[in-house]
Amino acid sequence: MPSFRFLLVALSAPLLLVAAAKADSVTCQTLEATTDIRMDNPFDAAFNSENSEYWSAGCTNLKPACIIKPTTAEEMSAVVKVLNKNNETFTVKSGGHNPNQNFSSIDGGPLVSTALLNEVIYDEATMTVRVGPGNRWEDVHKVLDGTGVTVVGGRIGNVGVGGYILGGGLSFLSAEYGWAANNVVEFEVVLANGTIITANNSTNSDLWKTLKGGGGNFGIVTAYTLQAHPMGQVWGGNLVFPETKTAELLAAVTNFTLNYPDEKAGIIMTSEITVANAVHIWIMFLFYDGPEPPVGTFDMFTSLKPDINSAKTRSYYDLLGFNDWAVLKGSIYTIATETTTLSPNASETFAHLQNCYNHWANVSKSVMDVPGLVASVAFQPYPAKFAQRAKAVDAAHGGSGDMIAFDDAADRIIFEFDFSYWPGFGAGNDVKVDDATVRLYGGMKDVVDAAVGAGSIPDAYRPLFMNDGYFRQDYWGRINPDSKALAESVVSSVDPDSFWKTRTAGGFKL
């Protein structure tokens, strides 16, 4: 009999924990009792599956009270209306690729997942694609594969649609078509009071603009209507170089950015340090919108004789899926950013980028004792012609630009800084990596400010790129003042009670 009681308690314990979690969340309890909206609860297989779909284990380690999965804008509206009747902190998740805790993850509160808002509908007559925020870019391109069209989206297939577009969205296609956000013809949005509206160039046009790089401050987007563009076979892959080629690679990045060879070409140049400084390599992502790049397009890189060259002709869908190797799930992961202008003088830009690289390497090497640490930096060219193209594409859709509002006063590099490391080795490592991340982006700003002060690079606008930002960085403090003023005006109109600001767990809030 004692053994039977023990077995009964053991079998009941998970059910009691689930009941306790739901009892602690008024939102979860109310929605389950009054609606048919799908909800995953702790210890459901679907709950564990959804909560594992983060790039960072730091986000997976947070356990929501329940995961709410609306399938329509109307169901999302019902969720928001229930949230309005209580004071629970919640968060909204698209793909879960942003590693900042609480941006799309939460501990104890309700998690609203857009996973089932996953439509991908190509309209050949209007050359648009309606895309749900629950998709990843590889899902979108799988549907479009073979249609002869594409949309401007992520450079890695596993990146989620929602947060990527709301942060601007830098793409391999940005030289041709601007930010991903510039290609949004219409947003379908659930506002703070549960109202469902559309935002385009003629209806709610100010909201339409602020959603292009303004993040989740204005509502929950339940569908994006994107401009489609012609596309056939592309060429791309990776080049891998040893650390000994650092000077030559920085010179090549300088040359490529200052003399951008072809609007169909795109690159990301990354440097990686790991295994306690024993492994230090460069990995380059190459892209060309066509089956073969013209002779000379990438010669400044290929002439350096990479150890590995996987670039080849393939479909865009295949390339983005191939790039998924860069996703290091299972580790805790942080991200940060900085922007630098570049001098038109190649020798000055090369020297400046060398200083930037040295700062990154020095900070990264200072935390190599953290178990499993991988440090990386990405040099992402953003030449002046990118800004010109973004404005032109936006204007072609009847718009007046995006919130990032880059000008064409200078060529630029957008840096992405990443640390990933193994979980389970103590909270001290979290503190150490957090400190290193702050020293890295803060010190990089100092390096750039010093170069501006010395006159070696232009003193021009340097916003932060939201998609790559660390939660401690001041996105709105670096944005164009006119953009910030418009965002504040729109928020006062669509969210006068500051619902999103006070109730969501994280994000770059106004």
Side-chain angles (χ1 to χ4, degrees):
M1 192 66 176
S3 60
F4 175 77
R5 284 201 301 269
F6 176 81
L7 178 62
L8 183 63
V9 169
L11 292 173
S12 300
L15 299 176
L16 292 171
L17 288 171
V18 171
K22 285 191 290 188
D24 287 343
S25 170
V26 176
T27 303
C28 301
Q29 197 173 42
T30 301
L31 286 170
E32 187 167 58
T34 62
T35 75
D36 293 324
I37 297 171
R38 176 170 164 178
M39 186 183 306
D40 298 337
N41 293 304
F43 301 102
D44 291 346
F47 178 99
N48 294 326
S49 175
E50 176 71 27
N51 207 53
S52 69
E53 287 296 325
Y54 291 101
W55 283 21
S56 175
C59 296
T60 300
N61 290 341
L62 303 184
K63 304 300 180 186
C66 67
I67 301 176
I68 304 160
K69 293 181 172 178
T71 59
T72 64
E74 289 73 22
E75 287 191 348
M76 184 66 80
S77 171
V79 172
V80 171
K81 288 176 180 177
V82 169
L83 285 164
N84 267 284
K85 295 177 181 178
N86 60 58
N87 63 355
E88 288 187 329
T89 299
F90 68 97
T91 197
V92 181
K93 178 188 177 188
S94 173
H97 65 275
N98 189 300
N100 289 299
Q101 286 186 327
N102 297 309
F103 276 44
S104 63
S105 56
I106 192 167
D107 202 24
L111 170 64
V112 182
S113 169
T114 64
L116 300 183
L117 293 166
N118 58 359
E119 62 183 330
V120 181
I121 303 171
Y122 170 45
D123 185 336
E124 186 175 2
T126 61
M127 275 292 284
T128 60
V129 184
R130 183 176 164 96
V131 176
N135 288 290
R136 301 175 190 278
W137 288 108
E138 57 201 4
D139 302 324
V140 177
H141 292 291
K142 182 177 183 179
V143 174
L144 297 179
D145 194 32
T147 64
V149 302
T150 192
V151 291
V152 180
R155 298 166 293 183
I156 294 175
N158 199 247
V159 168
V161 166
Y164 170 89
I165 293 180
L166 294 178
L170 189 58
S171 173
F172 283 135
L173 299 170
S174 287
E176 292 184 89
Y177 306 119
W179 300 101
N182 299 129
N183 292 269
V184 180
V185 177
E186 183 173 273
F187 297 92
E188 179 184 79
V189 191
V190 176
L191 299 181
N193 63 3
T195 302
I196 303 168
I197 66 169
T198 56
N200 53 43
N201 64 2
S202 60
T203 303
N204 301 305
S205 57
D206 282 348
L207 175 61
W208 180 52
K209 180 173 181 176
T210 58
L211 288 167
K212 303 174 190 177
N217 289 286
F218 312 98
I220 300 175
V221 178
T222 50
Y224 301 84
T225 302
L226 306 177
Q227 183 67 57
H229 302 283
M231 174 169 279
Q233 291 286 93
V234 304
W235 181 91
N238 301 124
L239 308 182
V240 180
F241 301 90
E243 187 269 339
T244 53
K245 297 286 181 72
T246 294
E248 294 96 322
L249 290 167
L250 290 175
V253 169
T254 297
N255 181 11
F256 187 86
T257 307
L258 296 183
N259 306 287
Y260 210 83
D262 191 326
E263 68 175 11
K264 293 180 178 291
I267 69 165
I268 315 171
M269 178 63 78
T270 71
S271 185
E272 322 273 335
I273 305 176
T274 189
V275 194
N277 292 324
V279 176
H280 190 167
I281 59 174
W282 286 85
I283 303 174
M284 182 180 183
F285 295 76
L286 288 172
F287 170 82
Y288 191 80
D289 185 6
E292 291 282 347
V295 174
T297 305
F298 297 113
D299 284 5
M300 68 280 286
F301 303 108
T302 55
S303 64
L304 298 177
K305 298 180 180 179
D307 293 336
I308 297 172
N309 182 347
S310 64
K312 66 178 185 179
T313 303
R314 56 181 92 197
S315 72
Y316 196 35
Y317 169 62
D318 177 66
L319 176 63
L320 298 186
F322 172 78
N323 286 344
D324 279 346
W325 69 261
V327 181
L328 299 175
K329 290 184 178 180
S331 293
I332 297 174
Y333 155 45
T334 68
I335 191 170
T337 189
E338 185 50 66
T339 304
T340 185
T341 57
L342 304 178
S343 168
N345 182 297
S347 61
E348 288 183 334
T349 284
F350 169 75
H352 172 58
L353 292 184
Q354 184 73 64
N355 289 338
C356 293
Y357 170 84
N358 290 342
H359 170 68
W360 166 77
N362 290 336
V363 173
S364 297
K365 290 175 181 178
S366 74
V367 286
M368 278 294 145
D369 59 331
V370 173
L373 191 128
V374 178
S376 68
V377 58
F379 294 75
Q380 303 174 105
Y382 197 89
K385 62 176 62 177
F386 277 36
Q388 294 168 353
R389 177 59 64 183
K391 290 179 181 178
V393 168
D394 213 275
H397 296 139
S400 59
D402 52 71
M403 299 305 290
I404 309 165
F406 267 119
D407 55 43
D408 59 1
D411 296 322
R412 296 171 174 88
I413 291 282
I414 298 172
F415 292 110
E416 178 187 333
F417 311 118
D418 302 302
F419 289 122
S420 65
Y421 58 102
W422 296 335
F425 286 86
N429 289 320
D430 300 335
V431 174
K432 187 178 291 187
V433 174
D434 174 61
D435 173 72
T437 302
V438 173
R439 285 190 289 120
L440 178 52
Y441 73 72
M444 193 64 76
K445 182 178 184 299
D446 291 342
V447 171
V448 176
D449 287 344
V452 169
S456 57
I457 62 173
D459 183 8
Y461 175 51
R462 294 181 358 238
L464 297 175
F465 179 35
M466 181 183 284
N467 292 146
D468 291 346
Y470 194 48
F471 73 98
R472 299 190 189 280
Q473 293 190 272
D474 184 9
Y475 176 77
W476 292 104
R478 295 278 294 273
I479 209 72
N480 180 295
D482 290 340
S483 292
K484 184 177 180 182
L486 176 63
E488 290 171 338
S489 173
V490 171
V491 163
S492 69
S493 174
V494 301
D495 186 12
D497 297 324
S498 301
F499 177 76
W500 306 114
K501 182 176 182 178
T502 59
R503 296 288 302 283
T504 53
F508 293 109
K509 299 179 182 181
L510 276 164

